[in-house]
Amino acid sequence: MMLRLVSPRQLPCAVVMRAVSSSSPSVASLEAEAQKQQRSPMELLLETPARSKKVGLVGIGKIGAGLLQCLAQTAKLNVIAVDKTREIIDARLDYLDSHLKRYVSNKLITETEREEIKSRVETSTELADLKEMDYVFEAVSEEPQLKQRTMLALEEIVDSRTPIASTSSNIPITLIASTANRPDRIIGTHFIHPVAIVKSVEVVPGMLTHAEVAAETHRLIHLMGKRSSLVRDVPGMVNNRLTMVFINEAIHALEQRVSSRDEIDIIMRESLMMQKGPLALADLMGLDHVLFTLQALYNETKDVKFRPPHLLKQHVRAGLLGFKTGQGFYIYDAVD
C-alpha cells in the first residue's frame, strides 16, 4: 500500500490503524475517542507505546553516536550498536560517557542514571548480532552503494517485519530501497546534528514504504523525546533544502563582497532572530559537509541555487573546514 504523504496529524485512521496490533482499539473506537477529546486519531496512536523494545544501530559516527545517546538515555531502550572496528566503537563509547559525565556534573542526571544508560548499550563488530532487533537504524557514511549494501545485509539477518530506517540526509530513500528485497520495510529518518539537542526529525517514506513502518517510526521518535514531521522523498527534504540555500547565498554574498563576513552574519542573525549567522553556522556544520551536501543537491536537481561557490571549494581544498579544524570563515582559539 502506498502511504499518502500528508501531515502525521492528518493521516486517516484507516491508514494509521494498520500499525496497531489486533489487541489495540478498533478503528471505530479510536475515531470516537479522538472526536470526544477533539484530537486527531494520529495523536492518540502516538500515545500507544512503541512496539520496538530492542533497537539496532549500524554506524556510530557523528549522527549515530547522538542517536545512540537518545535511544539509551531518553527512550530508555536496549541498543546494540555495530561498527567496523573495536577502536571506533571504544572511541564513541568514550565520547558518549564524556557527555554523560558532564550531565552528572551539571546535575541533569544522577550517577546512578549514568550507569543505567550505559548498561542499556551493547556493541559489536558483527551485523549478525542484530538478528533479534525489533527496529534497526542505519547510520553509515553518506554513500548510496554503501547504504544499499547495508540494507541488503540487514535483510538477510533481521526478521522480515523489522523496519530499517536510514539516517540519510541527502540520498533519496527510494534509491536506497531500490535494490532491497523488502523496500516496504525501509524508511528515512533525518536526524539533525547535534542529535541529542535538536528536537526535530524528518521522517521520509520511500515510494513503497508501508504505513505501519511510518507509524512505528513516528512512535519511536516521540519516545526519544523528539518531534517527527512527515516529509516527501525529495532532494534535501525540508531542512537541507532551505538551510543550504541560506548558507550558499551567504557565501556567494561574501565572495562577491556584498558585505563583510561579520556584517552578513549580524544582519541575518538579528533580522531572523537566530543564534548564529549563516557563515558561523556553516563553520559549525563543517565546510566539507556543506560542500558535499550542496554538490549532492546540485547533481540531483541541476538547480543553480545549489551550485557551490568557488570560495567554499577553496576553503575545503585548503583544509579550512570550520570549527573542527580551528579555522573556516572564522578563526577559533581552541578546538576540543
Side-chain angles (χ1 to χ4, degrees):
M1 190 203 76
M2 299 291 289
L3 177 64
R4 188 159 63 94
L5 297 182
V6 294
S7 167
R9 292 172 180 261
Q10 298 172 331
L11 280 173
C13 193
V15 173
V16 298
M17 283 301 294
R18 285 179 177 254
V20 182
S21 67
S22 58
S23 61
S24 300
S26 67
V27 173
S29 64
L30 186 65
E31 287 178 328
E33 184 62 25
Q35 185 175 11
K36 179 181 176 182
Q37 297 186 26
Q38 296 184 333
R39 301 165 70 189
S40 73
M42 191 62 171
E43 286 182 290
L44 295 186
L45 182 60
L46 288 174
E47 290 181 350
T48 303
R51 294 199 307 264
S52 302
K53 303 300 181 185
K54 297 175 293 183
V55 179
L57 172 64
V58 183
I60 325 176
K62 183 170 64 175
I63 296 299
L67 184 50
L68 176 61
Q69 181 179 343
C70 291
L71 288 166
Q73 180 178 344
T74 308
K76 294 180 171 58
L77 293 171
N78 294 318
V79 187
I80 297 181
V82 177
D83 215 313
K84 292 180 291 186
T85 67
R86 179 51 57 182
E87 289 74 21
I88 293 174
I89 292 170
D90 290 343
R92 286 305 175 180
L93 289 180
D94 289 342
Y95 176 80
L96 171 61
D97 197 37
S98 69
H99 276 255
L100 297 179
K101 287 179 178 177
R102 194 177 310 150
Y103 290 171
V104 172
S105 64
N106 292 333
K107 301 187 184 307
L108 297 174
I109 62 173
T110 65
E111 181 63 32
T112 300
E113 288 173 326
R114 169 177 164 262
E115 292 299 328
E116 288 175 350
I117 293 166
K118 292 172 60 178
S119 71
R120 298 185 190 112
V121 177
E122 295 182 42
T123 59
S124 175
T125 57
E126 300 295 332
L127 285 179
D129 289 331
L130 302 180
K131 183 178 181 179
E132 303 298 326
M133 297 299 99
D134 302 317
Y135 197 105
V136 177
F137 286 99
E138 168 272 301
V140 301
S141 300
E142 198 77 353
E143 302 171 27
Q145 293 181 344
L146 175 59
K147 288 184 178 291
Q148 289 174 336
R149 291 197 302 270
T150 302
M151 292 296 175
L152 284 169
L154 285 170
E155 285 185 322
E156 294 295 319
I157 295 166
V158 301
D159 186 88
S160 61
R161 295 165 297 178
T162 300
I164 306 174
S166 173
T167 62
S168 175
S169 59
N170 294 300
I171 306 167
I173 299 304
T174 302
L175 174 62
I176 293 173
S178 64
T179 58
N181 297 312
R182 298 190 294 274
D184 60 314
R185 312 309 296 176
I186 295 175
I187 194 167
T189 51
H190 180 207
F191 291 86
I192 301 163
H193 181 71
V195 177
I197 296 173
V198 179
K199 295 293 185 182
S200 184
V201 180
E202 294 178 295
V203 176
V204 190
M207 285 290 291
L208 300 176
T209 303
H210 200 285
E212 70 174 22
V213 173
E216 176 66 2
T217 300
H218 281 291
R219 289 197 295 259
L220 187 55
I221 288 171
H222 280 244
L223 190 63
M224 295 164 62
K226 299 188 178 296
R227 181 188 180 280
S228 59
S229 297
L230 198 62
V231 178
R232 288 186 182 277
D233 187 20
V234 297
M237 294 160 277
V238 172
N239 181 268
N240 276 344
R241 189 182 183 119
L242 301 184
T243 303
M244 289 301 154
V245 170
F246 178 59
I247 290 174
N248 206 30
E249 283 301 318
I251 300 173
H252 277 298
L254 180 63
E255 186 174 58
Q256 296 165 11
R257 300 183 181 180
V258 174
S259 191
S260 69
R261 173 200 68 187
D262 291 354
E263 292 302 322
I264 291 171
D265 270 0
I266 289 170
I267 290 167
M268 300 313 298
R269 191 174 65 241
E270 293 184 352
S271 62
L272 295 180
M273 295 180 287
M274 301 175 63
Q275 292 184 341
K276 291 184 179 293
L279 299 174
L281 177 60
D283 271 0
L284 181 62
M285 294 174 67
L287 299 188
D288 52 340
H289 171 73
V290 172
L291 178 60
F292 176 85
T293 303
L294 284 169
Q295 288 174 328
L297 290 171
Y298 181 69
N299 291 337
E300 184 72 22
T301 66
K302 305 304 179 186
D303 193 324
V304 294
K305 67 174 177 276
F306 297 121
R307 188 165 57 199
H310 179 69
L311 180 62
L312 174 62
K313 294 178 181 178
Q314 287 293 81
H315 272 70
V316 174
R317 288 165 182 159
L320 307 177
L321 307 182
F323 179 77
K324 61 185 175 183
T325 60
Q327 184 175 351
F329 293 117
Y330 292 84
I331 297 175
Y332 302 91
D333 292 333
V335 179
D336 293 331

